[in-house]
Amino acid sequence: MDKVVIGFIGTGVMGKSMAGHLLNAGYPVVVFSRTKEKAQDLLDKGAVWASSPKEVATQAKVIITMVGYPADVEEIYLGTNGLIANALPHTYLIDMTTSTPTLAVKIAEAAIAKDIYAIDAPVSGGDIGAKEGRLSIMVGGSDKAFKAVEPILKHLGANIVHQGAAGAGQHTKMCNQIAIASNMIGVCEAIVYAEKAGLDTNKVLQSISTGAAGSWSLSNLAPRMTSGDFNPGFYIKHFIKDMKIALEEADAMRMDTPGLTLSKNLYTKLAAAGEENSGTQALYKYWER
């Protein structure tokens, strides 16, 4: 895997930074995005443009995808002009999109039939983690494939754990999103309570973010709320997608998820009010409304 050509599909809020780390590490990188302008900074730094996933597949030994929705993943991987139909044998495919465990298994099985290795490796850490190369990466797939691509993943994340067979990475990401969903409600309520009590929210955060209430969202997103910064590190529309997947998976396991259900309902109301392209910290606006 030393300096193999890496294909990167999806150069949005997080993908752009991730592909940049690979360029900085000296890997030749071929990129594709539905909007070429989003990849321009990478092209200026030496990445090569591909006009389609098929073109990426013919050039790269390792291909990473970081796109929006499961439907995008399915088209990119399983479509006629997709990766599995056009990649060379022994290519490694790494989907870092948050998608469904079922689709991850489907992709892995299709890949095996073509002598291709596919792993699901969704991430957590948002735009900050992507920029700093400190993402948490949850991997599902064969042990052989994981060990082969682990050196590449180390350029993108600081906490990389092989969770099990295909789909295990996506299941783990659902655990992550379930924990965040309820936590975000608590973070917002705490900030609004502090404001209504006439407290200095910065001092409140100084006290509670390092105690038992501490969380990534409290330390990183609460300050954005108080400063009025609702730009997306992670889009509300994508979080709703993730929560929908988690609810469907929980329902299939006959599991009740009251916290997750409440969070999805609140975020859905915000999206309907025009906040779907805001960051998840914009849940704070629910109390303004």
Side-chain angles (χ1 to χ4, degrees):
M1 289 298 165
D2 186 33
K3 302 306 180 280
V4 296
V5 177
I6 298 177
F8 206 103
I9 298 176
T11 55
V13 172
M14 296 177 66
K16 179 180 175 181
S17 295
M18 294 162 70
H21 291 312
L22 299 175
L23 279 171
N24 292 338
Y27 288 97
V29 177
V30 178
V31 298
F32 169 74
S33 183
R34 284 182 294 190
T35 306
K36 187 176 181 179
E37 287 75 15
K38 290 184 178 180
Q40 191 58 53
D41 286 349
L42 296 170
L43 300 179
D44 292 342
K45 293 176 182 178
V48 175
W49 175 253
S51 62
S52 66
K54 180 178 180 178
E55 188 174 337
V56 174
T58 62
Q59 300 182 52
K61 174 71 173 179
V62 176
I63 303 172
I64 297 172
T65 53
M66 186 65 170
V67 294
Y69 297 91
D72 301 320
V73 174
E74 187 160 16
E75 180 182 358
I76 289 169
Y77 279 85
L78 301 175
T80 303
N81 294 312
L83 299 179
I84 291 176
N86 295 284
L88 297 174
H90 309 301
T91 297
Y92 290 83
L93 306 177
I94 308 170
D95 183 30
M96 305 189 82
T97 313
T98 298
S99 183
T100 70
T102 302
L103 180 56
V105 172
K106 184 178 179 181
I107 289 170
E109 291 175 346
I112 289 171
K114 296 289 296 288
D115 289 326
I116 296 169
Y117 305 99
I119 66 174
D120 48 293
V123 303
S124 182
D127 59 332
I128 296 173
K131 289 176 182 177
E132 296 179 351
R134 295 187 57 80
L135 292 168
S136 177
I137 305 176
M138 308 153 229
V139 182
S142 73
D143 187 58
K144 178 181 179 181
F146 169 66
K147 288 179 178 177
V149 302
E150 187 178 13
I152 292 173
L153 296 178
K154 286 182 176 179
H155 293 292
L156 308 177
N159 180 32
I160 305 165
V161 181
H162 184 209
Q163 297 291 341
Q170 296 295 355
H171 274 303
T172 304
K173 182 60 185 290
M174 291 303 105
C175 296
N176 185 85
Q177 301 306 72
I178 290 169
I180 289 174
S182 295
N183 179 241
M184 282 295 291
I185 296 174
V187 169
C188 292
E189 288 183 340
I191 295 301
V192 174
Y193 181 97
E195 290 173 343
K196 289 186 177 298
L199 301 174
D200 182 326
T201 54
N202 290 325
K203 288 184 177 180
V204 171
L205 287 173
Q206 185 179 352
S207 290
I208 71 174
S209 62
T210 59
S215 69
W216 189 94
S217 295
L218 191 66
S219 296
N220 292 280
L221 296 182
R224 294 192 187 187
M225 296 175 194
T226 59
S227 67
D229 177 6
F230 301 109
N231 290 320
F234 186 58
Y235 289 106
I236 282 178
K237 62 185 179 183
H238 289 163
F239 194 34
I240 292 172
K241 175 262 298 184
D242 294 354
M243 289 188 284
K244 183 174 183 292
I245 293 171
L247 285 166
E248 290 171 350
E249 294 292 336
D251 185 62
M253 294 184 285
R254 299 181 180 180
M255 175 186 171
D256 188 26
T257 52
L260 177 62
T261 299
L262 174 59
S263 185
K264 180 178 177 294
N265 288 341
L266 296 180
Y267 273 108
T268 299
K269 289 178 181 178
L270 274 179
E275 298 288 348
E276 67 273 14
N277 289 313
S278 297
T280 53
Q281 70 273 19
L283 181 62
Y284 168 85
K285 293 186 178 184
Y286 174 82
W287 281 265
E288 289 185 340
R289 298 176 185 277

